[in-house]
């Protein structure tokens, strides 16, 4: 099983990135998820290993983010890590805007969007991974897409102060 | 989302179209629908662009990682990913014990003699090695630049004074250290690195009432560990370097502490 998990590491890493606001968070999430998966090997009932790991990571992410949100005075200081500069083909500003847009999604809507779009799961598979009805997959996907589109188009910019 | 809905196209259908969830027939029907419905077509185009941007963004991060992993393993003795994960599992169990404190803690409460304590050292040491040496951004909690703070802090948590062995004359500098759980109690993990980026870890745990042992050796995959008890303190030096060199380093550590 360990070897199989190692084979899936690139996929798991990608999913952890897609759920996290920045790279250090993604690395932490990946580690937590691997530790959780290995600690609960006994509960893996021969189900599709990849889907099982995706479920674990989704749950770990929800728990982690809940903890972080509940921690008083939490300030995310490493946000600048999401500005990727290694790859000259993509516009770093565009990429940064997209990252900022998905960071605004709720955890639930975000995992559905990433499982469908980035990981390429079918809607039925996503329903299975997240243990939610198909209709809920659809409504979360729809909300996620619209929110990202609105953010990128600047529709949901909220003025913090009223103009004088 | 089946062929029954031939005449109507709902918003859900548009999502499913964008994500390629339909049969070819249904996909073509929706394509036809979009030709005559500009509003839907615009929505679909915007979602398709979003999909592409997301896929591209995370494909790129995956590729960056691959490069990084290749570069990292090339600079080491062997491919690090071949390390078996039992070691990770071991640390996960220790960590679980620390968090839940229940069944695992009961398990460890039976480890009240030196034999069992020391037998578990190599596994925990490998776990620490595998998990933390692969960390690129934060392999340690406290860096070597704060060495006095580091040893004071870890020593306090272990309940014993200790010094971080100095391995510079054999080519390894201290990277730093972190607190790790071992046998249900705080343990210290120190990390060292040579000029090529090869890393070693030293796990130190304390077991009151334990007695001394000789050097023991254990190997799983590429990770080799020398471990021993020196009075109440258990030490385990792990690395992916050859046995002879690791043994010399273990002896150096032993002499200094």
């Amino acid at each position: 099983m360990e070897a199989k998990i190692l084979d899936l590491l690139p996929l798991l890493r990608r999913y952890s990135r897609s759920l996290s606001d920045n790279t250090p968070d993604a690395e932490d999430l990946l580690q937590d998820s691997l530790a959780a998966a290995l600690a609960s090997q006994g509960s893996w009932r021969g189900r599709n290993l990849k889907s099982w790991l995706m479920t674990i990571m989704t749950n770990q992410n929800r728990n982690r983010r809940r903890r972080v949100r509940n921690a008083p005075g939490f300030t995310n200081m490493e946000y600048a890590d999401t500005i990727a500069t290694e790859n000259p083909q993509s516009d770093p500003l565009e990429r940064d805007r997209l990252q900022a847009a998905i960071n605004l999604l709720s955890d639930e809507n975000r995992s559905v969007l990433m499982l469908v779009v980035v990981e390429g799961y079918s809607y039925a598979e996503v329903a299975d991974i997240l243990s939610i009805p198909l209709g809920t997959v659809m409504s979360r996907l729809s909300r996620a897409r619209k929110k990202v589109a609105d953010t990128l188009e600047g529709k949901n910019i909220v003025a913090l102060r009223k103009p004088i | 989302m089946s062929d029954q809905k031939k005449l109507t196209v709902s918003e859900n259908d548009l999502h499913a179209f964008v994500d390629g969830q339909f049969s070819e027939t249904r996909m073509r029907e929706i394509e036809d629908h979009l030709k005559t419905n500009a509003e839907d077509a615009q929505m679909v185009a915007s979602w398709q662009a979003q999909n592409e941007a997301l896929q591209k963004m995370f494909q790129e991060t995956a590729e960056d990682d691959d490069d990084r992993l290749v570069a990292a393993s090339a600079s080491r003795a062997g491919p690090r990913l071949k390390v078996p994960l039992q070691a990770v599992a071991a640390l996960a169990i220790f960590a679980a014990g620390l968090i839940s404190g229940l069944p695992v803690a009961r398990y460890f409460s039976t480890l009240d003699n030196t034999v069992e304590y020391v037998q578990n050292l190599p596994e925990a040491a490998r776990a620490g090695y595998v998990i933390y040496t692969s960390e690129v951004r934060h392999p340690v909690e406290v860096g070597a630049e704060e060495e006095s703070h580091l040893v004071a802090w870890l020593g306090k948590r272990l309940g014993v004074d200790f010094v971080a062995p100095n391995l510079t004359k054999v080519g390894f500098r201290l990277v730093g250290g972190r607190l790790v759980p071992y046998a249900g109690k705080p343990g210290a993990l120190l990390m060292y690195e040579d000029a090529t980026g090869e890393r070693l870890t030293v796990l130190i745990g304390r077991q009151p009432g334990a007695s001394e042992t000789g050097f023991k050796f254990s190997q799983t995959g590429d990770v080799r560990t020398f471990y021993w008890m020196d009075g109440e303190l258990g030490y385990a030096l792990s690395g992916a370097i050859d046995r002879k060199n690791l043994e010399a380093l273990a002896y150096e550590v032993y002499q200094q502490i």
Side-chain angles (χ1 to χ4, degrees), chain B residues 18-60:
Chain B
V18 168
D19 297 317
Q21 306 270 320
F22 284 133
S23 68
E24 275 181 40
T25 324
R26 186 67 180 146
M27 292 291 274
R28 272 196 298 274
E29 282 167 11
I30 293 176
E31 269 170 38
D32 289 343
H33 163 83
L34 294 176
K35 280 177 196 155
T36 55
N37 193 315
E39 205 183 320
D40 283 1
Q42 199 190 0
M43 199 148 64
V44 162
S46 128
W47 293 343
Q48 280 169 334
Q50 203 187 99
N51 274 12
E52 275 169 32
L54 284 171
Q55 283 156 0
K56 188 160 173 254
M57 178 156 115
F58 292 108
Q59 191 51 47
E60 283 171 6

Side-chain angles (χ1 to χ4, degrees), chain B residues 92-109:
Chain B
I93 292 162
F94 294 123
L98 197 75
I99 295 157
S100 73
L102 288 170
V104 187
R106 254 204 312 280
Y107 169 65
F108 282 117
S109 69

Side-chain angles (χ1 to χ4, degrees), chain A residues 6-7 12 28 37 50 59 81 93 97 116 120 123 148 152:
Chain A
L6 286 180
D7 288 343
L12 294 171
D28 288 348
K50 193 177 142 201
N59 293 339
D81 275 325
L93 273 180
R97 258 160 48 83
V116 169
Y123 296 164
V148 171
L152 291 178

Side-chain angles (χ1 to χ4, degrees), chain B residues 32 44 54 61 72-74 91 99 116 122 128 153 161 177 223 232 246:
Chain B
D32 289 343
V44 162
L54 284 171
T61 60
S73 62
L91 192 74
I99 295 157
E116 280 175 287
W153 168 58
D161 285 336
V223 184
E232 292 186 342
L246 192 70

Side-chain angles (χ1 to χ4, degrees), chain B residues 1-22:
Chain B
M1 283 181 290
S2 74
D3 290 350
Q4 290 161 357
K5 288 182 175 181
K6 287 201 170 170
L7 295 176
T8 57
V9 173
S10 68
E11 192 198 304
N12 280 357
D13 289 340
L14 297 178
H15 285 291
F17 173 78
V18 168
D19 297 317
Q21 306 270 320
F22 284 133

Side-chain angles (χ1 to χ4, degrees), chain A residues 79-143:
Chain A
Y79 177 67
D81 275 325
T82 60
I83 301 172
T85 50
E86 294 100 335
N87 199 318
Q89 293 150 2
S90 65
D91 178 350
L93 273 180
E94 211 36 59
R95 189 164 153 158
D96 197 32
R97 258 160 48 83
L98 184 58
Q99 179 75 54
I102 57 178
N103 288 356
L104 289 175
L105 296 176
S106 73
D107 298 339
E108 323 181 302
N109 295 346
R110 184 172 183 163
S111 9
V112 170
L113 183 69
M114 296 310 169
L115 286 170
V116 169
V117 175
V118 180
E119 305 305 325
Y121 281 105
S122 73
Y123 296 164
E125 285 168 328
V126 174
D128 183 47
I129 289 172
L130 302 178
S131 302
I132 54 176
L134 197 58
T136 310
V137 173
M138 297 304 307
S139 56
R140 288 184 186 173
L141 178 66
S142 168
R143 275 200 294 273

